[in-house]
Amino acid sequence: MKKILLSSALCTALVYGLDVLPAEKRTFDQSKFIPDISLIMDASYVDRNVKDADVKHLAVPGVVHGLLGSHSHGDDNHATYNVDNGFNLNYAELVLSSSVDPFFTMDGIFHFSENGVEIEELFFTSNALGYGTKVKGGKFNSNFGYLNEQHHHTWDFADMPLVYESFLGMHGINETGAQIQWTAPTPFYLMAGFEILQGENEQMFGNQSVDLTVINPLAIPQTAEASDGAGLYVGYIKASHDIGDTTILGGISYAQGDSMIDHSVDEEPTVFSGDAKLYGADLVILHALDSYSSIKWQSEFLARELDGIEYANNSLGVFISPTMLKKQSGLYSQLIYTHDKNWRMGVRYDTILQNDVIENGVTIEQPDGLDKYTAMVEYHTSEFARFRLQYSRNNAMFDEDGERKKIDTIILQANISIGAHAAHSF
Amino acid sequence: MKKLLTLLTLLPLTLLAHLNIVVSYPYIGALTKSIGGEHITTTVLAKGNWDPHFIIPRPSLITKVRNADALIMNGAQLEIGWLPPLINRAANPKTSPSSPTFLNLSHHVELINKPSLVDRKDGDIHPDGNPHFHLDPQNILLLANVIKEFLISIDTEHKEVYEKNYKEFFDMWSEKIVIWKQKMQSKNGLKVIQFHDNLAYFNKAYGLTNIGTIEPLAGIPPSSKHTIEIIELIKKEQPCCILHDVYHSTKTADFISQKSGIKVILMPHDIEALDSIDNLSALFDYLTSAIK
């Protein structure tokens, strides 16, 4: 009996005793310095009319290979979105943010996925300079265009617009570098920004030399030489004006950098080396009906020019290095209706407008009608949980025999967050 | 020539002396203008007829914060969903929360209904307490004093003007408080239903008791189950009325009113919430006359 009493007393002491001191009285307590933390999960159920194994081999002709499949390079740890038929655990996003000192704040955004952990963003920002000037350093999403800066979980659709994903990949321009932005002291919103970035984007830029003997042991030159070091420059201007309850935001963007598109380990290996230019124009018009209801029309146009040399083997297995010029453009336009705090719905149209591939001065004919149609409806149980049903018809994908593969995809997406309250930008 | 020179030298001086103060909500703008008078201009970010929790962070607001000499906010997490990215993008050291030209009013008021347990299963709650403190007219006096001290601290030169304006406001408002109190005397002890507990401080000031809200939990839209519960509650507790904000749809409230027979009364929460309310006194004149 005594023993029981004693042990229960001990248990009580353990349970309550350790917690007696309030946080502010604990010596050396640092808990007040814990940064804002939030955790966001994104999972989906996917039903696609094409087998997973086949999807990886599909291409947007002249633009990109293996668009929907997991990345062909084994050495990266990017989170992928809605790749497999059936269930996908896309990522857990951990966000930490806090002031560093009176001069800086720091934000870290980490993607935990089945491919590993990726530093999605990690940067310091200073607002201390004054005159509307903001500087940022680290790894971050470039402010090119409108959508590029946004994270996957704030997109209005479960996947990226076709033109973005084809040109830049599903993480967009996500690079290490430095950014400076200046908001003008005008009566309306006017912002200009400039970024110097490392330029490692696999689909468009690149600054690492590639060993061409992997393609063909007799390759001359033996390596495709790259610049080494930061090789991507981005600039943009954005302006906005309100007319009553309608807000108009428009921007133009430009990116220029060295390009090295390395497919040297693919079945039909190619390496492109040259210069890349990317032009962007975006327009967003939002009309607020009341505090919770709005109509948003969002469109972006992207155009790129890749100019350089493509290294490959010809049909006889002989190493060739023709000059390659690609002039391509595309756009997406989407309309989102927010009904109330619970319901949202939207449609999106995607297309590749121009697809000129010129090899050794000769235009290689590319198929027309590269477009995609998407519709979605969302239900929010609160600000912190969203369920989305999305259907898309993609007419832009072709198999290795050059046959068009119409892809129908249904995605049921769950996006749930806990922790610090998210505040969204426009 | 001389005149021109004097004009030229005076022009930048007057520009400098004119403080551009950005505030989150219209009531703060009106109060600040009353104390600051001609030495300040106020720029209001939020619209008075919208839900103060949900303000669209339009890019034009970034420019307003960017051009500010000081910022005054309500605080207590009322602006948590929209103001932080504006401040961040504006990159104005004068509107950084650690700056002496930044004022968080909630730090100077005693907040009520602070939840003892903070958990989102209870809805999108305000962990620091109910942030709608400006709807107690006594608190307006308190805030006027805080704003006066704030203006003096950032613009000592016009100390006397601010003190004089404050004194005038204090006297005017004190008289009104007596009138409003008289008007509300007969309402003491009434039970009310609300959509969201916006009027917690108003109710406390005039002895009204909130017995339920149409939203089942803070920030969670009405459900049919909860609506039936509220109708049952009304039948049992006999509240006088449903005090409804201007920005939520009155659809559910009208349904409850139809089923239970109690009336729905629109209660503006800020200046501009209704067209007729163009100043702070008008807001309280309206609120204290609304319950018949």
Side-chain angles (χ1 to χ4, degrees):
Chain A
M1 188 66 204
K2 249 186 183 172
K3 250 185 190 168
I4 296 171
L5 268 178
L6 200 70
S7 56
S8 60
L10 204 70
C11 279
T12 326
L14 274 174
V15 171
Y16 294 103
L18 294 177
D19 236 342
V20 158
L21 275 180
E24 57 273 19
K25 289 201 172 152
R26 283 179 224 148
T27 316
F28 304 129
D29 178 66
Q30 301 251 31
S31 60
K32 290 243 162 78
F33 291 110
I34 290 178
D36 291 343
I37 302 172
S38 55
L39 185 71
I40 300 154
M41 77 169 273
D42 192 88
S44 62
Y45 185 84
V46 175
D47 185 8
R48 193 177 280 127
N49 69 341
V50 178
K51 287 211 165 91
D52 295 344
D54 297 337
V55 157
K56 282 177 195 164
H57 299 292
L58 298 180
V60 180
V63 185
V64 67
H65 277 276
L67 187 64
L68 297 166
S70 51
H71 290 250
S72 47
H73 301 271
D75 58 345
D76 73 49
N77 47 9
H78 279 314
T80 52
Y81 309 139
N82 317 312
V83 168
D84 297 324
N85 266 312
F87 289 104
N88 290 271
L89 184 61
N90 290 329
Y91 57 83
E93 180 175 300
L94 177 69
V95 184
L96 302 175
S97 94
S98 175
S99 312
V100 176
D101 60 19
F103 310 105
F104 294 106
T105 56
M106 188 167 96
D107 295 81
I109 295 144
F110 307 94
H111 268 187
F112 293 75
S113 70
E114 284 160 350
N115 298 337
V117 182
E118 190 193 21
I119 299 174
E120 183 75 7
E121 294 195 273
L122 179 63
F123 57 83
F124 61 89
T125 312
S126 178
N127 290 341
L129 290 174
Y131 307 102
T133 310
K134 183 170 101 137
V135 291
K136 200 183 213 182
K139 187 183 181 194
F140 52 86
N141 285 347
S142 165
N143 218 167
F144 183 99
Y146 180 75
L147 190 78
N148 193 81
E149 197 199 23
Q150 297 177 11
H151 292 138
H152 175 260
H153 59 91
T154 65
W155 296 351
D156 292 317
F157 294 88
D159 54 358
M160 214 177 198
L162 180 66
V163 62
Y164 257 103
E165 200 172 343
S166 305
F167 287 4
L168 297 164
M170 60 177 91
H171 292 256
I173 305 179
N174 174 252
E175 298 275 352
T176 306
Q179 177 192 72
I180 182 160
Q181 292 188 337
W182 177 67
T183 309
T186 40
F188 61 94
Y189 177 73
L190 180 67
M191 188 272 273
F194 180 70
E195 296 165 6
I196 302 178
L197 306 168
Q198 189 70 359
E200 292 173 322
N201 185 291
E202 294 160 2
Q203 270 166 247
M204 179 103 191
F205 303 105
N207 62 352
Q208 295 291 317
S209 300
V210 178
D211 181 5
L212 295 175
T213 56
V214 177
I215 299 181
N216 190 321
L218 305 173
I220 297 170
Q222 290 191 328
T223 47
E225 293 289 346
S227 61
D228 273 351
L232 174 59
Y233 302 89
V234 181
Y236 38 81
I237 293 174
K238 298 167 199 288
S240 174
H241 183 62
D242 297 333
I243 303 166
D245 290 332
T246 306
T247 298
I248 302 164
L249 170 68
I252 48 167
S253 309
Y254 177 67
Q256 181 183 336
D258 303 321
S259 181
M260 184 66 75
I261 305 170
D262 178 8
H263 290 289
S264 58
V265 292
D266 285 14
E267 251 174 86
E268 285 180 36
T270 59
V271 170
F272 173 83
S273 170
D275 299 315
K277 289 173 186 159
L278 183 67
Y279 305 84
D282 54 275
L283 180 69
V284 178
I285 300 175
L286 182 135
H287 178 69
L289 300 162
D290 61 39
S291 288
Y292 319 108
S293 183
S294 63
I295 300 170
K296 186 179 189 184
W297 181 40
Q298 172 185 332
S299 310
E300 283 190 74
F301 169 79
L302 296 186
R304 73 169 177 181
E305 195 179 299
L306 297 173
D307 190 359
I309 295 169
E310 182 150 280
Y311 302 100
N313 293 323
N314 70 5
S315 52
L316 303 171
V318 177
F319 185 76
I320 51 169
S321 51
T323 62
M324 180 64 81
L325 174 64
K326 289 186 178 186
K327 285 185 173 180
Q328 295 162 327
S329 70
L331 66 79
Y332 75 89
S333 186
Q334 64 184 48
L335 193 66
I336 306 289
Y337 169 61
T338 305
H339 180 68
D340 56 20
K341 283 202 247 179
N342 292 136
W343 292 99
R344 292 176 88 231
M345 53 212 74
V347 288
R348 180 180 66 190
Y349 169 69
D350 279 292
T351 185
I352 302 293
L353 290 166
Q354 186 192 11
N355 192 2
D356 294 344
V357 179
I358 301 154
E359 193 178 318
N360 271 342
V362 180
T363 303
I364 302 167
E365 207 55 43
Q366 301 294 334
D368 288 333
L370 304 179
D371 52 20
K372 184 180 170 187
Y373 301 85
T374 315
M376 70 86 187
V377 56
E378 284 174 6
Y379 183 78
H380 299 239
T381 58
S382 69
E383 271 192 88
F384 310 98
R386 178 187 67 208
F387 300 89
R388 175 189 286 149
L389 182 65
Q390 173 177 320
Y391 166 76
S392 67
R393 156 60 71 94
N394 188 342
N395 296 325
M397 306 301 282
F398 286 70
D399 65 15
E400 282 152 328
D401 302 325
E403 290 291 317
R404 191 189 298 265
K405 277 274 188 187
K406 292 188 173 173
I407 304 177
D408 293 309
T409 311
I410 295 169
I411 299 176
L412 180 62
Q413 182 194 10
N415 192 280
I416 317 283
S417 68
I418 53 173
H421 203 300
H424 294 299
S425 304
F426 187 84
Chain B
M1 189 65 204
K2 226 179 184 181
K3 255 187 192 166
L4 195 74
L5 269 178
T6 356
L7 257 175
L8 275 176
T9 42
L10 278 177
L11 196 68
L13 274 179
T14 48
L15 281 176
L16 276 178
H18 216 70
L19 283 173
N20 175 18
I21 299 181
V22 163
V23 305
S24 51
Y25 300 110
Y27 87 87
I28 306 174
L31 197 51
T32 308
K33 190 70 192 159
S34 300
I35 312 296
E38 61 185 11
H39 294 293
I40 63 157
T41 45
T42 52
T43 307
V44 181
L45 298 176
K47 285 181 60 168
N49 58 343
W50 283 10
D51 186 338
H53 305 81
F54 295 92
I55 304 299
I56 297 168
R58 313 166 119 188
S60 60
L61 304 185
I62 298 170
T63 298
K64 286 175 177 166
V65 177
R66 186 253 182 248
N67 294 336
D69 295 313
L71 190 145
I72 306 178
M73 72 184 287
N74 184 89
Q77 306 230 342
L78 191 54
E79 293 102 339
I80 193 82
W82 61 276
L83 189 56
L86 295 178
I87 291 176
N88 182 24
R89 293 202 169 222
N92 180 352
K94 289 180 191 161
T95 59
S96 141
S98 58
S99 145
T101 47
F102 184 97
L103 177 61
N104 179 342
L105 292 175
S106 69
H107 289 167
H108 304 272
V109 186
E110 202 174 314
L111 301 183
I112 62 174
N113 302 345
K114 187 177 156 81
S116 52
L117 191 73
V118 175
D119 190 329
R120 291 221 177 100
K121 78 173 167 22
D122 303 323
D124 194 4
I125 49 171
H126 295 292
D128 304 331
N130 190 307
H132 311 286
F133 47 76
H134 72 283
L135 291 174
D136 177 349
Q138 290 287 352
N139 279 346
I140 293 287
L141 279 186
L142 220 105
L143 297 174
N145 183 49
V146 172
I147 291 171
K148 177 203 68 177
E149 294 295 327
F150 176 69
L151 290 180
I152 291 172
S153 75
I154 62 175
D155 181 25
T156 330
E157 201 188 324
H158 299 108
K159 183 170 190 257
E160 273 139 42
V161 182
Y162 298 143
E163 274 174 346
K164 179 175 149 284
N165 290 347
Y166 168 71
K167 178 81 177 46
E168 277 170 18
F169 180 84
F170 184 92
D171 293 343
M172 180 276 286
W173 199 259
S174 303
E175 277 173 35
K176 299 248 177 177
I177 285 180
V178 177
I179 298 167
W180 293 326
K181 196 162 183 129
Q182 278 168 354
K183 274 165 76 181
M184 288 299 288
Q185 214 142 38
S186 60
K187 309 293 181 284
N188 198 344
L190 284 183
K191 291 172 183 169
V192 299
I193 301 279
Q194 287 183 83
F195 188 95
H196 174 81
D197 197 7
N198 270 3
L199 294 166
Y201 294 83
F202 180 83
N203 291 342
K204 188 165 171 256
Y206 296 114
L208 308 177
T209 316
N210 182 63
I211 59 164
T213 56
I214 293 175
E215 57 176 13
L217 294 167
I220 307 287
S223 64
S224 50
K225 177 168 166 276
H226 182 70
T227 303
I228 291 163
E229 282 168 9
I230 287 287
I231 294 169
E232 291 302 313
L233 184 74
I234 292 171
K235 284 182 181 154
K236 208 173 85 194
E237 298 272 342
Q238 298 293 321
C240 73
C241 42
I242 300 169
L243 301 182
H244 207 288
D245 59 65
V246 301
Y247 44 83
H248 282 105
S249 157
T250 57
K251 206 175 83 186
T252 311
D254 289 338
F255 175 78
I256 294 171
S257 164
Q258 208 183 11
K259 295 282 166 196
S260 64
I262 68 168
K263 44 185 196 265
V264 180
I265 300 171
L266 271 192
M267 296 291 268
H269 65 289
D270 205 334
I271 297 168
E272 291 164 19
L274 296 172
D275 284 342
S276 61
I277 294 165
D278 55 3
N279 66 69
L280 258 186
S281 299
L283 175 66
F284 285 94
D285 285 341
Y286 190 100
L287 289 173
T288 52
S289 327
I291 308 168
K292 300 270 161 39

